Amino acid sequence: MSLVATRPEPGDARPYAFPAIHRVSVAGGEVVAAHLPGQLLATASLLLDAGAAREAPGREGTAGVLAKCLEEGTTTRDSAQYALALEGLGAELSTSVDWDSFRVGVSVPVGLLSRAVTLMAEAARTPRLDPADVARVRDDEVTALRMDWAQPGPRADAALRLDLFGAGERVGRPLHGDPASVAAVTVEDVTDFHGSWLKRPGVLLVAGDLDKLDLKELGAAAFAGTSGTALTPEGPLPVPIAPARRVLLVDRPRSVQSTLRLGHRAPERAHPDYVPITLVATVLGGAFTSRLNHLIREVKGYTYGIRADFAMTRRFGRFGVSSSVQTAVTAPALVDTVGEINRMRRYGVTEAELEVARTWRAGSLTVDMQTPGSIAAALATLVVHGLPDDYYATLRQRLLEATVDEVSAAAAQYLHPEGLTLVIEGDSALIRDDLTVSAIGEIVDAEV
Amino acid sequence: MSAQPAPVAETGYPWPIETTRLDNGLRVIVSEDHSAPVVCVNLWYDVGSRHEPEGQTGFAHLFEHLMFEGSLHVGKTEHMRYVQGAGGSLNATTNPDRTNYFETLPVEHLELALWLEADRMGGLVPALTQETLDNQREVVKNERRQRYDNVPYGDAWLRLLPLLYPAGHPYHHATIGSMEDLNAASLETFQAFHARYYAPNNAVLTVAGDVTPGEVFALADKYFGTIEPVPDVAPGPHGHLPGPATKPVRQTVTGTVPAPRVYLSHRTHPFGTAGYDAITVLAAVLGSGRGSRLYQRLADGARIAQPDYIGAYGVDLAHAPAPLIVTATAKDGVDAATLEAGVAEVVDSMATEPVTEAELERGKALLTTSWWRQMSTVGGRADTLSRYATQFGDPSAAAYRLPQWQAVTADDIADAARTLSPESRVTLIYEPEQTAPEGTEA
C-alpha cells in the first residue's frame, strides 16, 4: 500500500458571487431579496428596528415576551387556529430579539412562501395580546429563564456584561433580561412595545428562487396596515478599558467545571477596522487551530473547547474568551489564557497563522452561505449596519488581502489583557486559594 | 379556512446520483450540483458504539478524536489547519450505529480533502502515539463533563439507554462511554480498532457539489485505491430483540434540576422500516410545534407543562428497534406525578382518539420542510446519501423517505400508537432536590 505522500495543490479558484440583491419599495416599506435559482426552500424575515436596546430599565425581556405572544393568536384567529394554519404549510414562526433588531421569519418550500408571509405578518402586526395570555406567557418566560439560569454560563455572562457596561446602560444588563426583570414586565409594557415599534413597516428580507416569487406581493402582505418612518440610529458608544485586571467569582457549589468568561469593551460592527479585528480573534481563538485551542485543549487537555471573539453590534462591541475547564485547573488555565492574549498583543501574528485565518474566513463566506436562512441573515447584516450591496464581495477581497502588519497593529490596539475582567463561575471554595496564589487580579465575589 | 397541504413530493432527492466501487471495496457516490462553487466530502464508517465490547465503552468516539491528530503524511493538528486554511468547515460525529467524517470546502480544495481522508483511513496507526491518546482521553472526559455531567438533565440519554435495552444489547450503553473505561483505554486497543474497522470495504465516500462523477471517481482511485481492504470485516453484533419490552421500567432521579421533568420512552422499530416511518409521523403529530397534541393539551390546555420544553422525537437508529422519546417539564407548582399522568394520557390518546386529517397534514408538512432544510446544503445531502448507502446498500433509497412519510395514513398511526402501551414503557423522572426552607441560609 502506498498512500500519496504530498499534499495536493489547490485547483483554480472558481469565482464565488454573492446572490444578486433586489430591492423593491412597496407599501411604505422595503423588500431586500437575494436570488437563489433552483433553491427549493425559501426564507422570509421581517426585520424591525425594535431590539432589546428599546426596552425600559428594569423591564429587560419585554421584547422577548412580546415575541412569544405573537403566536398566542391574532385579531382574527385564536392560537390553536393560528398554529394549525401556519404549521399546515410546514412553517414555524421563528422570532428573535437582539440588541439592534426584532425579527420574525418563516422558511417553507418556495411555492408556499406567499401564504406563509401573509400569516407571519398577521402575527407580527395584529397579535391578539389578550391580557391573560400575555401574563401567562410572561410567567412561562420567567420559568424558562430560571431553567436557563440554572445552567452554567448565563450568570457568568451577566456578571461580565454588568462589569463592562455598567447598570446605567441597557447593554449592561442581559440581552433577554433575567428572571426578576422579566417577572416585572407588565401587560401594558408588552402592548406599548408592540404599538411603538412593531407597527412601523421595517424591512422584509427574502432569500429564495425569485423566479418563483413576487416581491411586490410579499411586501404588500408584510407591510399592510403599517405606518411611521424608519428610526435614526444612535451613534456608537465609547470604548473605555479598565485600569487593572479583576477576577469576578460567581459561586456554583459542587460544579465539576469552572465556566470562564473573559472580556473587555471593543468597537462596533461597522468600524473600519472590522477585518483586521476579526482576523485577530480568528488567530487567537476563532479557528480550531487557534493559539488558545491549541494550548488549552490540545497541549494541556484542560477543556473540550475554548474560543475568543469580538461580538459587535450597531453601537458597541466586546472582546471575549469563553470556555469550561476542569475545576482543579482553573487557575493555570486562566494564567495560560491571559498569557496568550498578552503574547498576541505584544508580538502580533505570524504570516503562517494569518494565511490560515484569512483563507478560512474568506472561504467560509462561500461555504456558510448556502441556505436561504444564512443568506437572509447576511441580508440582515447589510441592513442593520448600513453596509452596501457589494459588501460581501468586498469583504472577501479585504480578508484575503489583510497583511501581518495590519493585523498585528489591530492586536496591539484592540486587545487589552491588563484591563480584562475575568469572570469565573465555579465552586469558589475549591478554586479561591489557587486564584489568590496566581495573583492574576484582585478577586471580587460577584452577586448574580 | 383550512390550509392547503404542501404538494406531495414524488422524490425527496431530485439531484443526480452516480456510484462506483473501487477494487478495494470502497463505495464512492457523487451527487453533482453546480449552483455554488462548494463541495462536501463525507465518509461513513460502519462502526459505532454498538460494536464496543464490555469494558470498552466510549472507544469508538475517542477513536474519532484520534483521527484528527495526525496520520502518516499529516502532522498533529495539521488536518484542521489545512481544512480551515482552505476555507473549509469540518467535523465528525459518532453514534451507536456509525462514525461519520465530513468537510465542506471551496471546490478547488476537493483533492486536499480526499488526500486527508485517505491518509487517515490508510495511515493512522503509524502516527498514533501514547501522548496523543492521553491528551484526547482528557479532551473526551472534558466533553463528558461539559455535555452530560455539569448540565441539569444532561444525563437523561445516558440513563434511558440501559433502561430501554437489556444488558449485552449493542444499544445498552451510551456512545460517550464511562470514565472508568476511558481511563483503561490502551494504545494497542486503538491500533487494533483501526485495523479492524477503518477499511475501505467498511466505508462509504460521498462527494456532493460542484464536481463531475468522472473527476471524483478518478481522484478517489488515486487517493484511496491503494489502501488494502480488510479480508473479513467482523459483522456488527446482533441487535435482535424479541419484541417490545413486556414490563414497564421506571427510574426517579433527585438532583439539582430547576423543575420536575418526565421522559416516556419506547423501543419502536428500526429506522428505515415502514413501522418507523409511522412512528416519525406520529412523533410530529404528537410533539412537533405549537399545533401538536402535547403542546395543545399540556402547555396550552391544562397548562401543566412549560411550552419551551415539550416534545416527541424518534432517535434514528437502524440496527435495532429505535427509541421514541416523549418529554415535558413541569410549570411552577406542578408536581412530577401530575405531569407524568398528563403526558401519558396524551400519548395514550394517539391510540384511542383517531388522528384527524388536519393533524396528519400538519405533521407531514413540518417533516417536509425539515427534509428540504436538510437537503439545502451539500453537507446535508452528502451525509444523507452516505447513510442510505451504508445502512440500506443504496444511496438512491434516500429519495423514498419523504414520499414514505407522506404516504403514512391515520390508520398506520393508530397501529403504531397501539404498540406504545404502558406495559412496554420506560419512564424517567427528574425531581428537584428539596432545598432548605427560606431563612435558614446565611
Side-chain angles (χ1 to χ4, degrees), chain A residues 249-301:
Chain A
L249 208 46
V250 178
D251 193 23
R252 186 177 178 84
R254 288 182 290 167
S255 181
V256 301
Q257 288 189 319
S258 294
T259 300
L260 309 185
R261 297 285 187 270
L262 283 52
H264 58 63
R265 288 173 69 159
E268 73 284 357
R269 173 66 174 80
H271 194 279
D273 288 344
Y274 172 77
V275 164
I277 288 174
T278 300
L279 292 168
V280 167
T282 304
V283 172
L284 180 64
F288 187 87
T289 52
S290 72
R291 288 190 186 180
L292 285 173
N293 204 58
H294 179 71
L295 181 66
I296 309 293
R297 169 174 155 140
E298 294 297 303
V299 176
K300 301 288 178 106

Side-chain angles (χ1 to χ4, degrees), chain A residues 1 31 131 135 143 165 195 198 213 227 366 390 441:
Chain A
M1 172 172 81
V31 182
T143 307
F165 296 97
L198 272 78
L213 295 167
S227 61
T366 320
D390 68 353

Side-chain angles (χ1 to χ4, degrees), chain A residues 248-392:
Chain A
L248 301 186
L249 208 46
V250 178
D251 193 23
R252 186 177 178 84
R254 288 182 290 167
S255 181
V256 301
Q257 288 189 319
S258 294
T259 300
L260 309 185
R261 297 285 187 270
L262 283 52
H264 58 63
R265 288 173 69 159
E268 73 284 357
R269 173 66 174 80
H271 194 279
D273 288 344
Y274 172 77
V275 164
I277 288 174
T278 300
L279 292 168
V280 167
T282 304
V283 172
L284 180 64
F288 187 87
T289 52
S290 72
R291 288 190 186 180
L292 285 173
N293 204 58
H294 179 71
L295 181 66
I296 309 293
R297 169 174 155 140
E298 294 297 303
V299 176
K300 301 288 178 106
Y302 290 160
T303 183
Y304 179 52
I306 181 166
R307 57 173 292 117
D309 66 354
F310 284 88
M312 295 162 141
T313 73
R314 193 156 63 192
R315 298 193 64 207
F316 66 93
R318 76 102 192 92
F319 166 71
V321 176
S322 56
S323 186
S324 301
V325 301
Q326 294 169 57
T327 298
V329 298
T330 303
L334 272 176
V335 169
D336 283 345
T337 300
V338 173
E340 280 300 325
I341 301 170
N342 243 322
R343 192 163 72 86
M344 176 154 287
R345 174 186 166 83
R346 290 188 59 185
Y347 305 111
V349 300
T350 66
E351 176 55 35
E353 287 173 320
L354 183 58
E355 181 56 31
V356 173
R358 61 187 160 215
T359 48
W360 179 40
R361 284 292 173 209
S364 46
L365 285 177
T366 320
V367 169
D368 292 346
M369 290 194 193
Q370 292 182 62
T371 65
S374 59
I375 297 282
L379 293 177
T381 300
L382 298 185
V383 173
V384 168
H385 302 288
L387 303 167
D389 283 359
D390 68 353
Y391 176 73
Y392 285 101

Side-chain angles (χ1 to χ4, degrees), chain A residues 369-416:
Chain A
M369 290 194 193
Q370 292 182 62
T371 65
S374 59
I375 297 282
L379 293 177
T381 300
L382 298 185
V383 173
V384 168
H385 302 288
L387 303 167
D389 283 359
D390 68 353
Y391 176 73
Y392 285 101
T394 312
L395 175 62
R396 186 183 166 78
Q397 208 48 43
R398 289 198 53 205
L399 284 164
L400 290 171
E401 288 165 2
T403 65
V404 167
D405 286 350
E406 198 184 346
V407 176
S408 296
Q413 189 175 352
Y414 299 108
L415 291 177
H416 302 283

Side-chain angles (χ1 to χ4, degrees), chain A residues 14-66:
Chain A
R14 295 188 205 171
Y16 173 76
F18 190 80
I21 296 178
H22 297 249
R23 289 174 181 263
V24 178
S25 289
V26 54
E30 187 180 26
V31 182
V32 179
H35 184 30
L36 309 176
Q39 177 61 253
L40 296 161
L41 209 62
T43 293
S45 177
L46 194 53
L47 178 74
L48 300 164
D49 192 344
R54 304 215 174 272
E55 292 169 339
R59 305 294 167 81
E60 296 85 9
T62 303
V65 174
L66 173 58

Side-chain angles (χ1 to χ4, degrees), chain A residues 294 298-299, chain B residues 68-71 74-79 129 131-132 135-136:
Chain A
H294 179 71
E298 294 297 303
V299 176
Chain B
F68 290 92
E69 298 297 314
S71 48
V74 181
K76 190 171 155 64
T77 75
E78 282 185 353
H79 189 103
T129 65
E131 187 201 351
T132 299
N135 172 272
Q136 288 304 308

